Amino acid sequence: MEFFHVKRDIPFMSYGKLTTAISLGTFILAIVFLISKGLNFGVEFTGGTVMELRYQQSVEINQVRHGVEGLKYGEVQVQSLGSTKDVMVRIPNIQGKTSAQLSNEVLDSLKKERADVELRKVEFIGPSVGDELFTHGLTALILVCVGIVAYLMIRFEWRFALSAIIANMHDVVIILGVFALFQWEFSLTVLAGILAVLGYSVNESVVVFDRIRENFRKPNLRGKTVPEVIDNAITATMSRTIITHGSTEAMVLAMLLFGGAALHGFAMALTIGIVFGIYSSVLVASPLLLMFGVTRERMIKPEKIKEEAVV
Amino acid sequence: MNRYPLWKYILLIVTLVVATLYTLPNLFGESPAVQVSSGRVTVKVTESMVAQATQIATAAGVTPIDAYFEAGSVKLRFKDTDSQIKAKDAIQSALGSDYVIALNLVSDTPAWLSKLNAKPMVLGLDLRGGVHFLLEVDMKAAVDKALEKTSGDIRRELKAKKVRYGKITKERDRVEVQLRDAETLAAATKALRDTLANLKVESISADGNYKLVVTYPETALLQLKNDAVKQNITTLHNRVNELGVAEPVIQQQGEGRIVVQLPGVQDTAKAKDILGRTATLEVRLVEDDQAKLSEALNGNVPVGYELMTERHSSGKSVPILVRKEVELTGENINDAQAGFDDHNAPAVHLGLDSTGATIFKDLTRENVNKRIAMILIEKGKGEVVTAPVVRGEIGGGRVQISGSMGVAEANDTALLLRAGSLAAPMEIVEERTIGPSLGKENISKGFNSTLYGFAAIAIFMMIYYRVFGVVSTIALGANLLFLIALLSLLGVTLTLPGIAAIALTLGMAIDSNVLINERVREELREGQSPHMAITNGYKHAFDTILDSNITTLIAGLALLIFGSGAVRGFAWVHCLGIMTSMFSAVFVSRALINLIYGRRRNLTTLAV
């Protein structure tokens, strides 16, 4: 059985201008959302107290919100956690009150209204930890990029490294943009997800790059132009690209659907990341490669002809 | 051509068997257990306790299924929670408050597997419930304390060397000493360079202003901070013991942070209360009058005295009568280190601050040939750690305790003296409480999503690639087996992000198989013979697999190094998963393909 056996090479590179324009558009849009709306940072970054509550019977979010706001803690967030029974309450850090006090007060006041509430999780994060996480996250991101660029420069050449990293950062920014647009909570697991996307997406670009390099060496593609060689490489790996992404997406969707609230953000970041991973490896990284002026001669080091000793 | 030599198959079978062995413990359930561990630093739980505890439980009518010694504690397994609680009560009342008896859950892994060091994966708090604290040590306070101590040392030293000095001031990161002229400056510099060998002593003389600046160099500062964190960890250990938590985790994280995890604990308020409590050291005079002692032993303790026990190095407890007045408290002890005395016998060296030094000097001068007791007050109960005889006046704030102790006892005593109080105050910067039901739910949800995802991939692969798909699925299964075996063997703590990483790694691992299968198809399409297609398919795919996995691994390693908490839990599994997936995709699947097709001479088609 074969779904994606394309006989003739698809001229991806001739659409290069269009696709890069599209991705530039989405990229800019993502940045606009990031700036205008900003990320909805989770408690790990901002500090504060988060409580997860479960009611025996379904509950009105507004009722809970009302109950918590009555305590006057400032900017309190009350959200439903996937079902009508699970509720999440976020309280900012308050001077002079410990999280245990805060959570007890909230629970007491909620118990007055509905006795069937159960505390499932309390998280308190001090303000200093968040800043550090931020710098650590950023360091990890930079280190990942440097590592990838260095490896690709050694294995391929700088043009490949540069296009791969631009394509990847494009994915990361778009995921961040989506999180900003929908104001989904940006937690530590989401950060893990995004960093995993970085690894995943570069994986994609590398597979295509590998094929491009191989094609340059193939004798039967010698007469072809560089865009044709790239088109051939993308077409040849198409089937694999779609199947691999399909499998990984199946796994991630299973996590999104069955993993519950705790894995939701992580699975969401990956779901988006995988979709853009395909797009960017094929339609962003490769046109960029062409733009940076990759040529056959640069890829294949001329073989030194051994001089035979004359006796 | 597509045949593996026998040794490769043997190697493969061996790895599979080993992986299965180390995965197995995860399949056995858990049964209720009672854990006996030490409640005080002076009390050590040893192998011999196993028989004793078993005997106590059996006498109470509940025979444990299994009893063994592990990592400083004795564990007894029971068939149900009823007998577990019964046994706990019996052991607690028999052994007393020197031991911590905790309820625990212990894996039902059979003994023969445990002997091979096979154990189930360690579950993180988010999977089993409990409290998690992240405490931050106030390093500024620790440095302040050290500078305070240094200025005291300087004052004493200059006094002893009869160097006249002016004001001694403690600045933010240094101590400054004003001196009158170049001559005293030189004398002071020389004196201090000798005593404060690990500190930087600079003499500055400009415009008739002579002063000495003492600073902590980078290494000394680092040492200081490390010691502060270590001492706080020791103190926390002592305090947590009181909670009776089965397997507490108390670890340093980063430069000045300490993680405390208490599985199964739900009452955060109590936990916090105990973590914040202090134990103290007191120095008091010993009454050696035999008449008074025997009177006290008869239940008639004289007014102004207290009857305590002294633990000898032999392990025996001896009654000792001490005065109620406290001469000196642990507040004045800066440091305690195990070492050796002039006769090369094990000793404990104490460093006192300036107030402590003065008090101690007076105390020893007035009580030559008498005994003084070092008492550790823990849980509101005092115990005499050591009661040496004073041989003469001890000045200078440096006290040496030696006697009939071995190296181990000297270490223990030093630890004890340091353990009483915190080196620097700490504050809670992060706190998490996870209910046990949420933990169970997290496990089942994580497990289910992995299972469904795996099933979907397996079905697709088998339909789409037929025989090669079946092989890929088996390779993927082997990958899961290797990964879980490695996680169990290395004792990596599995958290919810870790489960997510298992799922994602499986999703990504199939990539290598797809690469191979697609390559084989392509080679066939180009008109190669089936055998050539297999050989070249694997060969060509390998380069790509290597490149793509190494780049992913780079990303994973960066996460591991710079991530914390959730990110690190994810990164560990992710990195291990990438390595096992390379092995299983390349080696396991090739071995199977060779087994299926390798021996067929006239192979015309491949089921791919």
Side-chain angles (χ1 to χ4, degrees), chain A residues 123-141:
Chain A
E123 267 182 288
F124 154 76
I125 315 282
S128 64
V129 187
D131 292 343
E132 211 170 290
L133 274 183
F134 205 79
T135 46
H136 277 184
L138 214 62
T139 325
L141 194 71

Side-chain angles (χ1 to χ4, degrees), chain B residues 352-369:
Chain B
L352 300 176
D353 64 9
S354 50
T355 341
T358 322
I359 298 172
F360 203 75
K361 191 174 162 188
D362 294 344
L363 183 73
T364 46
R365 189 178 55 231
E366 287 157 16
N367 294 292
V368 175
N369 287 332

Side-chain angles (χ1 to χ4, degrees), chain B residues 33-44:
Chain B
V34 170
Q35 181 182 317
V36 182
S37 51
S38 151
R40 283 153 180 267
V41 188
T42 38
V43 178
K44 287 258 170 347

Side-chain angles (χ1 to χ4, degrees), chain A residues 5 15 70 156 244:
Chain A
H5 182 208
Y15 310 136
F156 296 87
T244 299

Side-chain angles (χ1 to χ4, degrees), chain B residues 288-302 307 321:
Chain B
D288 274 327
D289 188 342
Q290 283 305 316
K292 279 186 181 150
L293 181 62
S294 54
E295 199 182 325
L297 282 175
N298 288 331
N300 252 332
V301 183
L307 190 63
L321 197 62

Side-chain angles (χ1 to χ4, degrees), chain A residues 142-195:
Chain A
I142 293 167
L143 207 78
V144 170
C145 292
V146 171
I148 289 169
V149 168
Y151 181 76
L152 291 184
M153 267 168 74
I154 296 165
R155 286 284 291 175
F156 296 87
E157 57 158 1
W158 67 266
R159 288 178 184 83
F160 288 81
L162 199 61
S163 353
I165 213 69
I166 292 174
N168 280 322
M169 291 319 288
H170 153 271
D171 296 349
V172 169
V173 171
I174 286 173
I175 301 172
L176 289 175
V178 174
F179 269 79
L181 173 63
F182 294 105
Q183 286 292 298
W184 288 329
E185 192 187 320
F186 188 83
S187 65
L188 205 55
T189 39
V190 175
L191 181 70
I194 285 176
L195 290 166

Side-chain angles (χ1 to χ4, degrees), chain B residues 480-495:
Chain B
L480 185 62
L481 191 73
F482 290 139
L483 184 56
I484 292 178
L486 258 180
L487 289 174
S488 312
L489 189 64
L490 295 177
V492 174
T493 306
L494 189 70
T495 55

